């Protein structure tokens, strides 16, 4: 830990890591996101909505506050964490096959009562394919028989206070799941016992319902990202951006929800995105975000921005987006001479997507 302090990092120039949550259906992905967000989308806005794409930005100050019991505040160097909630959505298929490396880091959620399930393994293969770093959330620990709840407590603190029976059930289930991971070719270990992060994947026991282990998960995500990905997280001017969703919004017309991985996007920028009928060339009319700590899919007034710096998730309003395709890249035309080149790149993107549509 001391060595971290010796490393020269230009803190001003680090962008937020982008994090995805993956796992089997019902393992608790939505509840986990709700828990860290402090809202209740899953309960409040039933059914289909949890299938939609959303993203939440957590400012570092908020994370500091929530992890202060772990006494780690001085070490946060990134401005925040952008959590994207992509699973199950149609455009995620495009994102998957693009292997676009959209996420810097992922949380793989495993239900402690069920162990590895088909979609856990599917997610695992995706992560391996993309070479994405990830942390395992061993969720639903509160379902162990006789579990005593210590709301929002760091997990070791909570585990220590459980009865012998609970502790032994926890141990055998954990051991079982470590074995299942081994069968998938992965070494895993409880995060606080893991001395070889990078070789061995870390497991954070959590309860998305009681909040136990959530401080550990947040802190580990940030620390791990900023320790191992300084170069990747160093802000670059070159724009890197993906369209996650195309939506009609009353009063705004067709809008696109965009993840900006790197660079800056400004109102008035000329952009090119993939469209069903060819590249769409248009001009950014508005850049909109929900209020901090809320998710884009939660209703409410948008905040308007003149420019937005990566990493962020936001809505772009611009004329002519009706046939835009989700899961493809967005480009900015720096000067008019480049327009034809950019259109060509977009066409290439489109071809690869169309090929996949044909095949499936
Ligand atoms: P998703 O399909 O992975 O998004 O799973 P959900 O978040 O929808 O959760 C599926 C069900 O498991 C819901 O009924 C949740 O309330 C429940 N659940 C999720 N996390 C936990 C947890 O940590 N503890 C308990 N007891 N239930 C949980």
């Amino acid at each position: 830990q001391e060595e971290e302090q010796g490393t020269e990092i230009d803190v001003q120039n680090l962008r937020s890591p982008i994090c995805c949550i993956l796992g089997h259906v019902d393992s608790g992905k939505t509840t986990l996101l709700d828990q860290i967000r402090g809202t209740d989308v899953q309960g409040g806005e039933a059914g289909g909505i949890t299938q939609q794409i959303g993203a939440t930005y957590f400012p570092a100050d908020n994370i500091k506050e929530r992890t202060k019991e772990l006494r780690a505040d001085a070490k946060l160097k990134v401005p925040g964490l952008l959590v994207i909630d992509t699973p199950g959505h149609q455009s995620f298929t495009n994102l998957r096959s693009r292997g676009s490396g959209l996420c810097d880091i992922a949380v793989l959620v495993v239900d402690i009562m069920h162990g590895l399930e088909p979609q856990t393994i599917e997610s695992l293969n995706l992560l391996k394919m993309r070479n994405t770093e990830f942390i395992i959330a061993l969720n639903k620990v509160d379902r162990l028989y006789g579990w005593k709840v210590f709301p929002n407590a760091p997990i070791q603190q909570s585990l220590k206070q459980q009865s012998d029976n609970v502790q032994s059930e926890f141990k055998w289930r954990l051991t079982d799941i470590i074995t299942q991971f081994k069968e998938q070719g992965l070494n895993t270990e409880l995060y606080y016992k893991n001395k070889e992060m990078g070789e061995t994947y870390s497991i954070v026991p959590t309860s998305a319902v009681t909040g136990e282990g959530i401080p550990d998960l947040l802190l580990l995500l940030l620390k791990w990202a900023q320790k191992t990905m300084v170069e990747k997280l160093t802000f670059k001017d070159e724009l890197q951006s993906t369209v996650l969703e195309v939506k009609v919004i009353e009063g705004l017309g067709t809008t696109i929800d965009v993840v900006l991985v790197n660079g800056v996007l400004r109102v008035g920028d000329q952009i090119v995105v993939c469209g069903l009928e060819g590249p769409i060339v248009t001009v950014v009319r508005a850049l909109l975000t929900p209020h901090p700590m809320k998710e884009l899919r939660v209703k409410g007034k948008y905040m308007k921005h003149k420019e937005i710096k990566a990493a962020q998730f936001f809505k772009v309003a611009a004329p002519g987006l009706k046939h835009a395709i989700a899961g493809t890249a967005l480009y900015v035309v720096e000067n008019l001479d480049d327009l034809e080149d950019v259109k060509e790149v977009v066409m290439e993107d489109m071809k690869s997507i169309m090929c996949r549509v044909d095949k499936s």
Side-chain angles (χ1 to χ4, degrees):
Q1 260 144 359
E2 262 49 66
E3 88 214 31
E4 262 180 78
Q5 317 221 303
T7 331
E8 280 291 318
I9 296 175
D10 183 358
V11 179
Q12 292 306 312
N13 219 17
L14 286 187
R15 65 172 175 84
S16 305
I18 300 176
C19 171
C20 290
I21 302 184
L22 304 173
H24 195 76
V25 63
D26 281 346
S27 58
K29 299 179 292 292
T30 312
T31 315
L32 197 69
L33 196 58
D34 288 349
Q35 174 61 242
I36 52 182
R37 197 170 38 216
T39 58
D40 190 7
V41 176
Q42 205 232 10
E45 305 204 49
I49 292 189
T50 59
Q51 290 295 316
Q52 258 183 343
I53 277 190
T56 314
Y57 182 69
F58 299 93
D61 281 347
N62 175 275
I63 294 175
K64 269 184 199 171
E65 177 61 29
R66 307 193 58 175
T67 56
K68 65 179 179 221
E69 277 187 84
L70 292 165
R71 279 173 289 138
D73 35 20
K75 288 177 199 153
L76 293 187
K77 294 162 191 148
V78 291
L81 181 70
L82 184 68
V83 183
I84 295 180
D85 172 21
T86 40
H89 194 275
Q90 54 162 73
S91 64
F92 195 55
T93 320
N94 279 344
L95 290 173
R96 279 202 253 234
S97 29
R98 278 177 71 84
S100 62
L102 184 69
C103 287
D104 302 302
I105 193 160
V107 176
L108 179 63
V109 185
V110 176
D111 183 334
I112 190 170
M113 307 307 274
H114 292 171
L116 271 61
E117 297 176 89
Q119 288 164 347
T120 324
I121 293 169
E122 198 182 291
S123 307
L124 202 56
N125 290 335
L126 247 153
L127 292 168
K128 281 190 206 160
M129 194 177 79
R130 284 204 215 128
N131 259 329
T132 307
E133 292 292 343
F134 63 94
I135 288 166
I136 298 149
L138 192 56
N139 194 37
K140 306 198 186 183
V141 289
D142 64 294
R143 293 196 51 205
L144 298 175
Y145 186 74
W147 182 270
K148 260 190 286 175
V149 173
F150 300 91
N152 304 312
I155 196 63
Q156 282 173 278
Q157 204 171 299
S158 177
L159 274 172
K160 246 190 314 204
Q161 298 178 79
Q162 303 300 327
S163 68
D164 288 351
N165 281 346
V166 171
Q167 296 205 20
S168 86
E169 185 184 351
F170 173 76
K171 264 191 205 130
W172 73 253
R173 287 192 186 274
L174 173 72
T175 309
D176 224 35
I177 288 169
I178 289 178
T179 308
Q180 293 174 17
F181 272 114
K182 207 157 259 162
E183 286 162 7
Q184 298 297 319
L186 283 191
N187 290 327
T188 54
E189 180 56 285
L190 276 177
Y191 88 93
Y192 46 87
K193 291 188 177 165
N194 188 358
K195 302 226 158 38
E196 332 171 278
M197 265 194 94
E199 316 266 307
T200 301
Y201 291 83
S202 285
I203 298 175
V204 183
T206 57
S207 166
V209 167
T210 69
E212 286 157 300
I214 304 295
D216 311 59
L217 185 67
L218 286 172
L219 192 63
L220 190 65
L221 274 173
L222 282 197
K223 283 180 69 179
W224 179 233
Q226 68 193 13
K227 186 163 178 165
T228 57
M229 298 170 200
V230 172
E231 198 185 330
K232 201 173 176 192
L233 296 179
T234 296
F235 185 80
K236 296 172 195 75
D237 280 335
E238 194 186 329
L239 194 96
Q240 190 189 342
S241 177
T242 301
V243 178
L244 281 192
E245 183 95 66
V246 182
K247 264 189 243 163
V248 179
I249 302 286
E250 225 186 280
L252 294 173
T254 305
T255 63
I256 49 178
D257 292 353
V258 162
V259 182
L260 187 62
V261 179
N262 233 315
V264 180
L265 195 63
R266 299 179 177 87
V267 172
D269 277 350
Q270 186 173 39
I271 56 170
V272 185
V273 295
C274 235
L276 280 173
E277 292 157 1
I280 300 169
V281 183
T282 181
V283 173
V284 175
R285 189 175 280 163
L287 298 168
L288 306 160
T289 61
H291 296 277
M293 292 303 293
K294 271 200 190 160
E295 194 201 18
L296 213 55
R297 68 191 176 192
V298 177
K299 286 205 179 75
K301 276 238 153 82
Y302 293 110
M303 294 201 295
K304 287 190 172 176
H305 305 263
K306 284 208 175 87
E307 60 171 48
I308 290 181
K309 193 177 169 184
Q312 261 298 359
F313 183 54
F314 52 90
K315 190 178 277 303
V316 175
L321 291 173
K322 193 166 165 202
H323 298 297
I325 304 173
T328 59
L330 174 151
Y331 298 89
V332 169
V333 185
E334 296 290 347
N335 59 61
L336 227 53
D337 299 342
D338 295 338
L339 181 58
E340 290 310 312
D341 291 345
V342 175
K343 275 162 90 173
E344 225 163 87
V345 176
V346 170
M347 288 298 276
E348 285 302 314
D349 268 12
M350 200 153 56
K351 265 189 233 151
S352 67
I353 282 178
M354 291 308 172
C355 289
R356 276 194 310 276
V357 172
D358 289 346
K359 275 180 204 146
S360 57

